[in-house]
Amino acid sequence: MAAKNRAGQSKGQNDGAKSKYSRNLWEQWYRTILRIRRFEEKTLMMYSQQKIRGFLHVYIGQEAIAAGIKTAIRPEDALITGYRQHGIALTRGLSSKACMAELFGKADGCVKGKGGSMHFFSKEHRFFGGNGIVGAQIPIGTGIAFAEKYQQSGNICVTMFGDGAARQGALYESFNMAMTWKLPVIYIVENNGYAMGTSVARTSNVQELHSIGRAFDMPSEAVDGMHPIPVHDALLRAAEHVRSGEGPYFLEIRTYRYRGHSVSDPANYRSKEELAHYKTLDPLEVVEADLLRFNMLDAAEIATIQQEVQAEMEEAVAFAEASPYPSAEALFENNYTQADYPFIAE
Ligand SMILES: Cc1ncc(C[n+]2csc(CCOP(=O)(O)OP(=O)(O)O)c2C)c(N)n1
Ligand SMILES: [Mg+2]
């Protein structure tokens, strides 16, 4: 995947229109991006100290997507995603403490230390994970949307997946069902150009991934995911359509991950030039510069937010350190909704 093929991502885009958004929105976008970045930088540090083990897939570079989604949907809406999910979970309202403790495998983690990096979950926050099987969340998200429609809740289900998952058969079955039954679902493919070490260009005949939706007559569009504004705007458009009962909407949000697929991937399959190009679009740096340019926050206010976020992440690590490991008996808890399920009853 060459950087030049990924249209709609250039520095300074939307400049004229950027100042029309409220200070409150800008602050939320900045805080969201910064919290995710600092949280995950901590996780990488903790991984190198072997406090966190197993898989760890970070979202660094893709944070503007989480920020734009957060300000465009409602807390009662459902959301489901894949394993690159720490940042999305934080924006849904799961605490950095519960998320960090989960990564440490501790009992105070958001799933009691039994899920780890790929399997955060919170019914309370309408966050359905955290799914390790590539594409598995697409039919599950479709099913959640079916339940919302059946219960006439007025809620929608945002169903997110990677470009690699877009090649799974489950996507095609889900898209067909969702269109046929006009389900309230926004499908989002976070196209970061790679599935592990394999580029979209090497594995997909169709590289404009949003065009897949058109085969189902599903409204579909490509969105620049390096800044929260285009994401926020696209989500508002999609949510309005979906809530009106017209059925699903598909967004291909174009983004880039700065790190390897997981902590153990040196990412030798991409060029230094490509990475350097995307670093010029770093959502954290761009949004911070925008805050000053459009007089949304001044340097002192930005510094205060940075200190608050830094302190929050220090506290999250201290909390995770102090939390106990789950007891041995916890192995037999929460496996089934029915506590006395026959196979585990003595
Ligand atoms: C069904 C299935 N096949 C293969 C894998 C191994 N696998 C894990 S991540 C991954 C790449 C997925 O890439 P993408 O969907 O683009 O997500 P990204 O990592 O870029 O966020 C693969 C093939 C898996 N977990 N599940
Ligand atoms: Mg990918």
Side-chain angles (χ1 to χ4, degrees):
M1 179 212 64
K4 62 179 162 43
N5 289 338
R6 293 160 64 78
Q9 294 171 317
S10 62
K11 208 169 187 176
Q13 195 195 10
N14 294 327
D15 265 12
K18 276 179 175 176
S19 53
K20 75 177 187 195
Y21 296 87
S22 71
R23 182 194 142 104
N24 177 279
L25 274 177
W26 276 102
E27 185 176 337
Q28 286 193 66
W29 291 328
Y30 182 60
R31 264 186 200 277
T32 303
I33 294 171
L34 188 67
R35 284 181 74 232
I36 299 172
R37 184 71 60 95
R38 296 290 176 260
F39 178 88
E40 290 201 315
E41 284 167 350
K42 276 274 183 237
T43 68
L44 290 169
M45 198 186 294
M46 294 300 114
Y47 199 93
S48 68
Q49 295 175 21
Q50 300 192 341
K51 300 267 172 65
I52 297 173
R53 290 156 188 267
F55 286 108
L56 188 76
H57 309 90
V58 296
Y59 198 56
I60 292 176
Q62 303 187 201
E63 301 97 332
I65 301 180
I69 293 174
K70 178 183 161 66
T71 51
I73 65 168
R74 303 172 182 166
E76 11 356 321
D77 290 327
L79 189 147
I80 187 166
T81 186
Y83 47 83
R84 200 176 295 287
Q85 50 130 21
H86 313 144
I88 302 285
L90 289 176
T91 61
R92 287 263 83 194
L94 282 77
S95 74
S96 49
K97 287 181 178 167
C99 292
M100 192 63 79
E102 188 55 42
L103 292 171
F104 275 56
K106 299 293 188 75
D108 295 312
C110 58
V111 289
K112 304 182 182 179
K114 297 193 249 181
S117 169
M118 297 200 278
H119 299 112
F120 294 2
F121 191 95
S122 174
K123 194 174 169 184
E124 177 198 347
H125 296 100
R126 307 277 291 138
F127 180 65
F128 293 83
N131 288 271
I133 307 295
V134 170
Q137 71 275 27
I138 305 173
I140 298 172
T142 306
I144 294 168
F146 179 85
E148 300 295 355
K149 181 164 182 163
Y150 188 74
Q151 292 163 356
Q152 301 183 341
S153 67
N155 300 334
I156 62 176
C157 180
V158 175
T159 300
M160 304 173 72
F161 46 92
D163 45 275
R167 261 87 78 190
Q168 290 283 27
L171 176 138
Y172 301 84
E173 297 179 39
S174 299
F175 275 22
N176 181 53
M177 267 189 260
M179 276 305 288
T180 306
W181 294 336
K182 300 285 176 279
L183 300 182
V185 52
I186 300 177
Y187 294 108
I188 295 177
V189 56
E190 291 186 274
N191 184 357
N192 60 14
Y194 295 92
M196 299 182 88
T198 310
S199 68
V200 173
R202 284 181 60 207
T203 51
S204 187
N205 185 46
V206 174
Q207 291 183 47
E208 297 286 319
L209 296 181
H210 59 99
S211 69
I212 294 170
R214 305 222 176 101
F216 300 85
D217 287 343
M218 193 184 295
S220 309
E221 53 179 293
V223 180
D224 172 9
M226 300 307 285
H227 198 285
I229 288 181
V231 179
H232 169 90
D233 286 351
L235 261 289
L236 282 182
R237 271 196 302 282
E240 190 183 358
H241 175 91
V242 169
R243 282 192 218 282
S244 72
E246 301 277 311
Y249 206 101
F250 183 35
L251 299 172
E252 175 196 353
I253 307 189
R254 295 179 177 170
T255 183
Y256 200 76
R257 64 164 155 74
Y258 294 155
R259 304 291 179 134
H261 168 72
S262 69
V263 277
S264 51
D265 169 20
N268 291 333
Y269 42 82
R270 61 186 182 187
S271 67
K272 288 196 178 77
E273 292 73 30
E274 183 182 293
L275 181 60
H277 166 71
Y278 280 100
K279 286 268 175 92
T280 68
L281 306 177
D282 183 344
L284 181 59
E285 287 175 19
V286 171
V287 169
E288 196 175 308
D290 283 350
L291 289 174
L292 295 168
R293 225 150 39 108
F294 300 114
N295 294 320
M296 293 295 166
L297 295 180
D298 63 28
E301 289 165 325
I302 291 174
T304 303
I305 293 174
Q306 289 171 343
Q307 283 157 13
E308 285 168 6
V309 171
Q310 192 61 33
E312 179 194 347
M313 298 315 158
E314 303 289 346
E315 283 167 28
V317 169
F319 177 84
E321 298 263 22
S323 174
Y325 283 107
S327 65
E329 296 77 58
L331 266 180
F332 301 100
E333 294 164 6
N334 309 119
N335 294 311
Y336 300 95
T337 51
Q338 194 184 333
D340 61 348
Y341 191 72
F343 292 117
I344 55 167
E346 297 204 0

